Amino acid sequence: MQDSPRPVIILVRPQMGENIGAAARAMLNFGLTEMRLVSPRDGWPNPKAVAMASGAAGQVLDRARVYPGLAHAMEGIELAFATTARGRELSKPVHTPETAMQAARAHQGRTAIIFGPERTGLENDDVARANAIVTVPVNPDFPSLNLAQAVLLMGYEWGREVLPAQPAPQPRRPDAETPADRVEIERLGDHYEDRLAEAGFFFPETKAASMRLNLRNMWARLPLTRGDVRILHGLLRQLTRR
């Protein structure tokens, strides 16, 4: 699917099992399957994480590995990105999610994206172990993202250029969805003109021709299906029934 390995997702001191499970779902949405956990607060395995992962994303949790510290969790990683919304004293390259994942795709070795605990985010000691920082351009008055939202956003930026394009599902084309042809549109226009004439709509006589022309032009512009035409005929018959 791609030349460079998929990024590893490292969750540092995650606090809630539900957020770990939601992060696993976000990962699998975009083909990311390797999760590493650093000192999860409520231990591991966590039944709340399993319940939130639901279905196929459970495989991400089944393979998740737990480490006592971030340094240990960086085993085999050559390029790491620390996600943070706060300014830092540390001098490091700063990326948006888009440019970070461009760099990850260009790198032929193992890469990782590091996420901090829900309440505080990554500490300086955590960020110091990364090659670069990723900051999402969000509202400065409310820069906080939910853990799973942050994982989803990074996963999307990774997957949008490496996952195979998925064409939009094509709707079935039964008769109701088949475009009406011009003869059907003409008959619909005739039906409405006849009933409107009986109701005295085309008044005054001096404007009748223009009104008919505009009405006919309106029918021609509408992208009607055969099902639409049947509904409009039936609607008019019901309205004019005596």
Side-chain angles (χ1 to χ4, degrees), residues 9-102:
I9 299 298
I10 301 178
L11 306 185
V12 178
R13 299 179 297 279
Q15 297 172 310
M16 299 178 64
E18 294 90 338
N19 286 340
I20 299 173
R25 295 179 67 165
M27 288 172 60
L28 197 58
N29 283 149
F30 299 102
L32 304 179
T33 57
E34 186 172 349
M35 174 186 283
R36 300 183 185 183
L37 302 172
V38 176
S39 301
R41 183 190 67 181
D42 296 334
W44 194 257
N46 187 312
K48 292 182 178 179
V50 175
M52 180 60 74
S54 179
Q59 65 184 281
V60 175
L61 300 181
D62 292 341
R63 300 188 194 127
R65 297 168 62 188
V66 180
Y67 297 83
L70 180 56
H72 300 87
M74 300 277 274
E75 175 187 2
I77 300 299
E78 300 173 7
L79 177 63
F81 299 92
T83 59
T84 177
R86 298 192 304 237
R88 300 290 181 176
E89 309 83 52
L90 302 171
S91 177
K92 289 183 183 293
V94 178
H95 288 274
T96 64
E98 180 181 12
T99 60
M101 293 302 92
Q102 286 173 351

Side-chain angles (χ1 to χ4, degrees), residues 63 66 122 135 137 158:
R63 300 188 194 127
V66 180
L122 293 171
T135 297
W158 163 260

Side-chain angles (χ1 to χ4, degrees), residues 153-235:
L153 191 146
M154 296 299 296
Y156 169 77
E157 289 295 347
W158 163 260
R160 67 175 181 158
E161 291 191 17
V162 296
L163 291 172
Q166 297 290 332
Q170 295 297 311
R172 294 180 302 138
R173 301 285 296 190
D175 183 64
E177 297 181 7
T178 302
D181 64 31
R182 303 322 302 171
V183 171
E184 291 166 323
I185 299 293
E186 284 293 315
R187 288 172 180 164
L188 180 65
D190 291 342
H191 189 183
Y192 271 77
E193 279 195 30
D194 291 346
R195 300 290 83 78
L196 289 171
E198 291 172 1
F201 175 77
F202 299 109
F203 181 85
E205 184 64 30
T206 54
K207 294 184 178 180
S210 175
M211 295 169 71
R212 291 175 186 273
L213 179 63
N214 289 334
L215 187 62
R216 187 69 61 168
N217 186 49
M218 181 194 75
W219 292 121
R221 291 199 316 268
L222 295 177
L224 297 173
T225 66
R226 287 180 172 172
D228 296 332
V229 169
R230 285 198 297 269
I231 290 172
L232 290 169
H233 277 299
L235 183 152

